[in-house]
Amino acid sequence: LERARAYMLEVFGVAPAGLWPSEGSVSDHALALAHDAGFTWAASDNGVLGRTLSRDPGVDVTYKPYVWRQSGREMRMIFRDHYLSDLIGFEYARMNAADAANHFLDRIRHNSAGREALVPIILDGENAWEYYEANGRPFLRELYRRISEDPNLEALTVSEALAKFEAEPLQGIFPGSWINANFDIWIGAEEDNEAWRHLLAARRAYDETPDVSENARRLAFEELLIAEGSDWNWGYG
């Protein structure tokens, strides 16, 4: 988290306010780390919100911001509309751009039922667009044009949206990712367990081998961080 903020500051000249954790994975401990690193908001899936609140994550609970508080720490949070986000991620590439944009905005109008609502849309940044015509440009142009022309719709950054809406309190967060609101993809299968055992052994070897050059330790640590990335164990089971 600290390296991510430093990198964004170096490239863009400003540190990010918010965080989409890897695979939308959250827990109380992860949010505490994000807070301590300087982030002020984070996002996950509304399946996680549903398990946190022990209720169905319908639009009435999804279309609003929350504020997580624990041990003097505070983190604003939004939870994506899983269905609408996945329509963009997996369905609309097969549709005409205008029809897809119409369908998407009609669903938002239907779900919000005329009341003011914050509709969080979050999807993979890299997976969807290769299947769209012209990498999604016609669809995105249609979508944003229609939003701009409708006085009842407004496209906002998360920080802009959080400034407009009152947040509801959360005393804790259910630990899980945007896939099934749990961590089953990464843990439990024997090949996953074996991978974690190898990674633990590598980390212990790093911690217990101080008599190497500082450059070698830096390189080894960089490789460990890469190996701890969320995509590796996704592929084994």
Side-chain angles (χ1 to χ4, degrees), residues 18-212:
L19 170 70
W20 172 259
S22 298
E23 320 298 343
S25 296
V26 290
S27 67
D28 288 329
H29 185 58
L31 292 179
L33 291 173
H35 170 276
D36 292 350
F39 292 97
T40 60
W41 65 260
S44 187
D45 186 76
N46 68 345
V48 172
L49 177 63
R51 300 193 76 172
T52 298
L53 300 176
S54 298
R55 59 175 295 186
D56 179 70
V59 296
D60 57 327
V61 296
T62 300
Y63 287 4
K64 62 179 70 173
Y66 292 83
V67 56
W68 169 91
R69 294 189 179 103
Q70 270 196 7
S71 304
R73 297 179 175 92
E74 180 174 298
M75 181 76 67
R76 302 258 171 178
M77 297 201 69
I78 61 168
F79 298 88
R80 73 177 192 135
D81 184 316
H82 186 110
Y83 174 72
L84 288 182
S85 299
D86 278 1
L87 283 178
I88 298 177
F90 302 107
E91 301 297 332
Y92 286 156
R94 297 193 286 268
M95 293 175 61
N96 171 275
D99 291 342
N102 263 338
H103 183 271
F104 183 76
L105 296 180
D106 282 347
R107 295 308 306 169
I108 288 179
R109 294 186 186 99
H110 172 78
N111 290 348
S112 58
R115 63 183 173 84
E116 191 167 50
L118 166 61
V119 185
I121 304 298
I122 303 170
L123 61 147
D124 275 342
E126 81 282 13
N127 284 342
W129 307 115
E130 63 185 297
Y131 299 103
Y132 278 74
E133 175 192 0
N135 297 111
R137 288 181 179 85
F139 167 72
L140 290 170
R141 289 193 180 110
E142 286 285 342
L143 180 62
Y144 282 106
R145 179 178 65 80
R146 290 160 196 264
I147 292 173
S148 298
E149 292 174 353
D150 189 329
N152 295 315
L153 296 173
E154 188 176 10
L156 300 172
T157 68
V158 176
S159 293
E160 289 170 341
L162 291 175
K164 287 175 68 87
F165 289 84
E166 191 72 26
E168 295 198 4
L170 293 176
Q171 303 309 315
I173 195 75
F174 187 90
S177 76
W178 68 346
I179 298 111
N180 302 321
N182 58 35
F183 296 121
D184 286 356
I185 291 292
W186 297 274
I187 60 176
E190 183 50 38
E191 53 265 59
D192 292 333
N193 297 342
E194 183 67 15
W196 288 115
R197 284 193 288 268
H198 283 304
L199 183 55
L200 177 60
R203 183 58 180 255
R204 284 175 172 165
Y206 171 85
D207 290 341
E208 296 166 4
T209 312
D211 54 340
V212 295

